[in-house]
Amino acid sequence: MKKIIILGLLLGITQVYAQEVELKDDKVIIDGKEILKYEKVNNGQYSFFNNADDEILMYKYQNNQTQELIEDDYITFNFLTLKKKVQTSDFSLIYASSSKKSMQKLIKLLLKEKVLDLTGTMNDEKLDIFIEKYNQVIK
């Protein structure tokens, strides 16, 4: 009986974090349902919008004006409607083979951390935890 309960819990956890995230036609689609819109400004900047067309998140790659030097580069997640920001030099959080795949990884991270839910709503309390976990002092 314990094995069945444990298996059920594992399957449930897997389903929570195994959403299919697509960025297609300026839409963020999770498991076939559109939850956000997005705009690619350039390879280093994306904006995400809720269904009311409010810009809720801006992602920006900062090269610190030193093209040749990557050690001082960082990324910013600006949660505009909640007036909170995360800056980090830990590119492993979202790094992928393309900027689009990196944004998919970002959305998956926000879902996993419960900052973003499947309706496209941001959770302010979970964002505070996200900030505690990932924010760095960038100079």
Side-chain angles (χ1 to χ4, degrees):
M1 183 66 172
K2 285 183 181 179
K3 289 181 182 179
I4 293 173
I5 292 171
I6 291 171
L7 181 62
L9 288 172
L10 289 175
L11 288 174
I13 290 169
T14 302
Q15 285 183 331
V16 169
Y17 300 124
Q19 285 94 3
E20 178 68 31
V21 176
E22 294 179 86
L23 271 65
K24 185 176 179 182
D25 300 326
D26 298 331
K27 296 174 178 72
V28 176
I29 301 166
I30 299 177
D31 295 334
K33 181 182 175 202
E34 178 188 339
I35 68 158
L36 298 171
K37 299 172 189 163
Y38 79 93
E39 176 184 349
K40 178 181 178 180
V41 178
N42 57 47
N43 280 340
Q45 184 174 339
Y46 279 75
S47 291
F48 295 88
F49 303 86
N50 63 16
N51 288 331
D53 287 330
D54 297 321
E55 187 175 10
I56 61 171
L57 171 61
M58 183 190 72
Y59 158 85
K60 189 168 187 179
Y61 171 81
Q62 309 280 350
N63 70 8
N64 237 352
Q65 304 303 316
T66 55
Q67 299 290 347
E68 316 77 36
L69 186 64
I70 61 170
E71 290 82 21
D72 64 346
D73 294 356
Y74 63 96
I75 48 181
T76 299
F77 309 117
N78 195 347
F79 298 89
L80 299 163
T81 54
L82 298 176
K83 298 180 179 13
K84 296 179 181 178
K85 186 183 293 190
V86 173
Q87 293 182 320
T88 183
S89 60
D90 184 0
F91 292 97
S92 68
L93 292 172
I94 64 163
Y95 180 75
S97 60
S98 69
S99 65
K100 191 173 190 177
K101 288 185 185 296
S102 293
M103 293 305 97
Q104 288 172 307
K105 194 171 174 183
L106 170 60
I107 296 297
K108 286 180 182 182
L109 176 65
L110 295 175
L111 288 167
K112 178 182 174 233
E113 298 289 339
K114 297 183 176 144
V115 173
L116 180 68
D117 69 17
L118 294 176
T119 66
T121 303
M122 294 281 182
N123 182 316
D124 196 22
E125 291 175 10
K126 296 295 184 181
L127 177 56
D128 288 339
I129 295 168
F130 185 83
I131 291 168
E132 286 297 317
K133 284 176 78 171
Y134 301 112
N135 192 52
Q136 298 174 335
V137 177
I138 306 292
K139 296 181 182 188

